[in-house]
C-alpha cells in the first residue's frame, strides 16, 4: 500500500503557530478549525476567503505549505465533504489536522 507522507520541520510548525492564522475567528462548540498540509506547493485559483454556497465551510488562507480553513457544523455540513473540495483544488497529496492537534504538536516540540 502506498501511503504518502508529509514532513514538516519544527521551525515550520513554530512559524505557523506564531502567525496565528485563525486569530479573530469566533469559536463555539460547532466550529472546527483546520490546517491542511500540502505535499508540495500548489497554486490555487480560489478567491479568498472561499466560502461554500451554504456558508458553512471557508478556506481563509493558502500558503505554499498549508491551507487554513474553518468548518461550522450545521445540519447542512453533515453532507459537506471538505476533503473533496481540498483534493479538487490542491491534489491528493494533502493531510488535514485540527488546529488543536497542531497546537499540541507545537507544545510537545517545545517541551522536548
Amino acid at each position: 500500500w502506498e501511503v504518502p507522507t508529509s514532513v514538516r520541520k519544527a521551525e515550520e510548525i513554530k512559524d505557523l503557530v506564531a502567525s496565528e492564522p485563525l486569530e479573530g475567528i469566533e469559536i463555539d462548540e460547532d466550529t472546527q478549525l483546520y490546517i491542511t498540509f500540502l505535499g508540495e506547493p500548489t497554486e490555487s485559483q480560489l478567491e479568498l476567503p472561499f466560502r461554500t454556497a451554504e456558508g458553512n465551510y471557508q478556506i481563509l488562507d493558502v500558503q505554499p505549505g498549508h491551507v487554513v480553513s474553518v468548518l461550522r457544523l450545521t445540519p447542512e455540513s453533515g453532507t459537506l465533504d471538505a476533503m473533496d473540495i481540498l483534493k479538487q483544488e490542491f491534489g491528493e497529496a494533502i493531510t488535514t489536522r485540527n488546529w488543536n492537534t497542531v497546537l499540541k504538536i507545537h507544545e510537545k516540540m517545545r517541551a522536548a
Side-chain angles (χ1 to χ4, degrees), residues 40-107:
E40 54 190 57
T42 306
E43 292 204 20
S44 173
Q45 303 304 313
L46 293 177
E47 187 173 323
L48 299 177
F50 166 82
R51 186 183 299 254
T52 58
E54 300 83 12
N56 55 345
Y57 181 66
Q58 297 177 70
I59 295 177
L60 303 177
D61 191 25
V62 177
Q63 296 295 318
H66 66 271
V67 176
V68 179
S69 61
V70 177
L71 175 64
R72 305 258 185 222
L73 300 174
T74 65
E76 297 82 29
S77 68
T79 61
L80 173 74
D81 192 345
M83 288 305 296
D84 281 347
I85 294 169
L86 291 163
K87 284 180 181 179
Q88 285 177 7
E89 185 66 19
F90 303 102
E92 295 285 328
I94 61 173
T95 185
T96 299
R97 294 293 174 263
N98 186 286
W99 180 242
N100 290 330
T101 301
V102 175
L103 293 175
K104 287 177 187 176
I105 291 168
H106 179 254
E107 284 302 314

Side-chain angles (χ1 to χ4, degrees), residues 9-20 37 98-112:
K9 294 179 181 178
E11 193 68 27
E12 291 176 87
I13 299 297
K14 177 183 169 191
D15 290 346
L16 174 59
V17 170
S19 75
E20 299 181 358
F37 294 100
N98 186 286
W99 180 242
N100 290 330
T101 301
V102 175
L103 293 175
K104 287 177 187 176
I105 291 168
H106 179 254
E107 284 302 314
K108 288 195 181 267
M109 289 184 330
R110 288 181 44 186

